[in-house]
Amino acid sequence: LYLWDYTTDFSNFPMPFANVCVLQDNIRFFRDMGVRYLFEQGNYCGPHGDFAELKAWLLAKWMWNPELPAKELLDDFFAGYYGAGAPFVREYFEELHRLQRTYSASGEHPLGIFDGCDNPAIPDSFLKRAETLFARAAAAVAEDPIAGHNIGLAAFSVDCMRLERLKKKAQASVT
């Protein structure tokens, strides 16, 4: 059995897409259902879609061993990729996923691969808070250009969603 799974928002690749918390369980489920070959398609259009590097790294690890502990892998990735800014980016990551899990908990509002900037799980107030977290992360790595670059590009998801929402509001007010 071959399976092709999607792990990104195809309507707009940079949009926040809080699905990391289900990836490991999905792989375990696929394994348990007899899937022998798995292709995980994420953001293929460019670097730094919403946590694209993290998702690719985790998926590669879990496809080899779906039992590897998520917390340790996340700790390792965040520390290595975001340096001293990791606690702030991790706080954003955890809060984003908490919002999505809460919104989707009833089963009536699943995260969809074409949600784009309209995802109601992510309120504008959270985007404002995320902006502050990314500013703090950037300040923490002021002397580390590589971590600073990674943080700046991770923040792009938030900037992109905010701009898309502003554009929609502006278009709606014109009509």
Side-chain angles (χ1 to χ4, degrees):
L1 182 61
Y2 293 75
L3 192 130
W4 188 322
D5 187 29
Y6 300 116
T7 64
T8 192
D9 186 332
F10 284 97
S11 70
N12 198 326
F13 289 100
M15 289 295 142
F17 194 71
N19 70 334
V20 172
C21 297
V22 301
L23 296 176
Q24 183 177 28
D25 286 340
N26 287 354
I27 290 173
R28 288 175 177 159
F29 175 77
F30 301 150
R31 175 202 60 202
D32 295 347
M33 294 296 109
V35 172
R36 300 265 319 211
Y37 303 95
L38 177 60
F39 178 72
E40 296 282 2
Q41 183 177 344
N43 177 4
Y44 64 89
C45 290
H48 298 286
D50 181 57
F51 290 111
E53 295 82 5
L54 170 63
K55 291 175 187 181
W57 187 78
L58 287 171
L59 289 165
K61 296 278 189 183
W62 286 329
M63 287 196 302
W64 280 106
N65 181 358
E67 304 310 321
L68 291 174
K71 184 186 180 319
E72 286 83 359
L73 291 174
L74 289 168
D75 290 347
D76 185 30
F77 184 90
F78 277 87
Y81 202 71
Y82 299 112
F88 306 105
V89 180
R90 183 70 177 266
E91 189 173 342
Y92 161 78
F93 171 86
E94 295 294 344
E95 197 168 327
L96 174 69
H97 283 78
R98 190 170 34 257
L99 286 167
Q100 187 64 56
R101 278 192 311 272
T102 300
Y103 184 74
S104 297
S106 70
E108 294 178 29
H109 306 288
L111 180 63
I113 63 171
F114 295 105
D115 283 352
C117 72
D118 295 327
N119 182 350
I122 305 171
D124 289 339
S125 60
F126 171 70
L127 297 177
K128 188 67 178 158
R129 174 161 163 58
E131 183 181 355
T132 301
L133 288 170
F134 279 116
R136 292 176 69 193
V141 297
E143 303 300 317
D144 182 347
I146 294 171
H149 176 78
N150 293 339
I151 288 167
L153 290 172
F156 179 69
S157 288
V158 172
D159 295 339
C160 187
M161 182 172 260
R162 290 179 71 218
L163 288 171
E164 286 291 326
R165 286 182 176 181
L166 286 171
K167 181 176 97 176
K168 281 190 167 211
K169 286 178 187 174
Q171 289 170 338
S173 69
V174 171
T175 56

